[in-house]
Amino acid sequence: MASLAFPSLSSLTISRLHSQKAPFLNSSIPTPSMSTFKHPTVTLHRFQCGVIRMQAGEEDFELKQMRDMAAAKKRWDAMIREGKVKILTPREAGYAIQLSNKPLLDVRPSSEREKAWVKGSTWVPIFEVDNKFDVGTLSRKATNFVMGGWWSGVPTLSYDSQFLSKVEEKFPKDAELIVTCQKGLRSLAACELLCNAGYKNLFWVQGGLEAAEEEDLAREGTQPLKFAGIGGLSEFLGWTDQQRAQAAREGWGYRLLYSIRLVGVFVVADALFIGAQQVGHYLQDIRTH
């Protein structure tokens, strides 16, 4: 069998799948941190040692994530190779929905679902946006932001431990169920959970809704399905793959809009830098006088 076109697995993507002890990745999230400093005057040597330890901890964490994800990919590959889950393209999924009335299970978080969804689909997120404000959640939010959330706009997600029970309330285990997400990774994880729970007629949408063309699936919502997973500064500047493809089709008018936005970002950044310099000079003058 030809190798499966699994979604690319960046460290940020893997971090999202590790949120809140998801059962298909047997690991918990350690929070690497520097040792607490007990005295306000910290020597440069102690600080450097703390930084080195923190960097080593982060590297070990990423290596463990990569190993866990590689193991999950092997299980998913075997699951499809053995016929426990069948592959559909987005277009084939659209035909199956229209001609055979197969149900579509959308497992995306609300941040993606609210932008665009397939008409008639059932929504049960396997991961949902984490809106709690406890210490652990705030730490994960900060890590997510630093590791690329500011650029991609992807929020911190938590695994929904009630996912299986919610699906079981809506679909019997003999249902011919099409499962999809935005890129195809979370839907594979959902297929594994459903398969282990006794669902025998599962279909996975390869590449997710991001791979769908407008004519493939009946869409509802304010944006194309391809655009539902983008956000952050990359979306604002039009630097995502989806927006570049759109610009190639629509021409210079589309590109001009995002070029103006880019210039605006530089202007604002420059103004903030100058303002910070002026405040610094003002404070220095106060101290010297």
Side-chain angles (χ1 to χ4, degrees):
M1 174 180 170
S3 60
L4 298 173
F6 286 112
S8 59
L9 306 178
S10 65
S11 60
L12 180 59
T13 300
I14 296 171
S15 297
R16 296 183 205 124
L17 281 179
H18 276 268
S19 300
Q20 294 295 315
K21 299 181 182 178
F24 39 84
L25 292 176
N26 298 318
S27 67
S28 58
I29 300 181
T31 305
S33 60
M34 289 185 355
S35 302
T36 304
F37 298 120
K38 297 180 180 180
H39 192 278
T41 304
V42 183
T43 65
L44 178 61
H45 176 71
R46 287 185 62 189
F47 177 76
Q48 290 174 334
C49 290
V51 170
I52 292 171
R53 285 196 299 272
M54 182 175 67
Q55 290 175 340
E58 289 175 349
E59 290 174 359
D60 290 343
F61 177 45
E62 289 187 3
L63 287 173
K64 188 176 188 304
Q65 285 182 322
M66 295 299 293
R67 286 195 297 267
D68 290 342
M69 184 53 67
K73 182 182 179 298
K74 286 183 179 180
R75 295 196 307 272
W76 296 339
D77 200 344
M79 181 176 64
I80 293 176
R81 187 174 58 250
E82 294 166 5
K84 295 178 180 179
V85 176
K86 300 174 181 64
I87 298 176
L88 294 177
T89 65
R91 179 162 297 182
E92 290 170 341
Y95 289 148
I97 294 168
Q98 293 177 14
L99 302 179
S100 304
N101 202 30
K102 285 184 173 62
L104 177 69
L105 176 62
D106 184 347
V107 301
R108 297 176 300 162
S110 57
S111 57
E112 296 172 357
R113 169 80 180 190
E114 64 190 12
K115 296 178 183 179
W117 60 93
V118 177
K119 184 178 181 180
S121 60
T122 300
W123 178 50
V124 183
I126 186 172
F127 289 90
E128 185 52 296
V129 178
D130 196 335
N131 293 317
K132 297 191 294 293
F133 289 96
D134 55 89
V135 174
T137 302
L138 291 176
S139 175
R140 288 196 301 275
K141 287 179 181 289
T143 301
N144 179 72
F145 182 82
V146 171
M147 290 182 67
W150 63 274
W151 177 255
S152 67
V154 176
T156 303
L157 304 176
S158 293
Y159 170 69
D160 184 357
S161 60
Q162 302 300 313
F163 170 74
L164 272 177
S165 61
K166 290 177 181 178
V167 174
E168 290 171 345
E169 289 176 0
K170 298 178 182 294
F171 300 105
K173 292 188 177 179
D174 60 351
E176 293 186 321
L177 191 57
I178 302 173
V179 185
T180 191
C181 63
Q182 189 63 28
K183 294 178 179 290
L185 185 61
R186 287 166 292 189
S187 52
L188 267 177
C191 283
E192 182 180 16
L193 291 177
L194 294 170
C195 184
N196 292 340
Y199 283 85
K200 302 299 183 184
N201 300 301
L202 296 173
F203 299 84
W204 171 58
V205 180
Q206 189 173 31
L209 298 180
E210 190 169 294
E213 301 298 336
E214 278 296 294
E215 63 272 14
D216 292 343
L217 296 156
R219 173 183 62 86
E220 294 183 320
T222 59
Q223 298 186 26
L225 291 168
K226 285 179 176 291
F227 285 28
I230 64 176
L233 185 59
S234 62
E235 180 187 18
F236 180 78
L237 295 177
W239 282 0
T240 65
D241 292 339
Q242 298 91 323
Q243 289 168 305
R244 286 197 290 267
Q246 186 81 2
R249 289 193 297 268
E250 297 196 9
W252 285 104
Y254 194 87
R255 298 175 187 176
L256 181 61
L257 169 64
Y258 291 103
S259 297
I260 292 172
R261 289 185 179 183
L262 178 60
V263 172
V265 167
F266 279 115
V267 170
V268 171
D270 186 59
L272 290 174
F273 178 73
I274 293 174
Q277 281 187 320
Q278 292 176 342
V279 170
H281 293 325
Y282 177 73
L283 294 176
Q284 188 176 7
D285 289 342
I286 291 177
R287 287 195 296 268
T288 55
H289 291 84

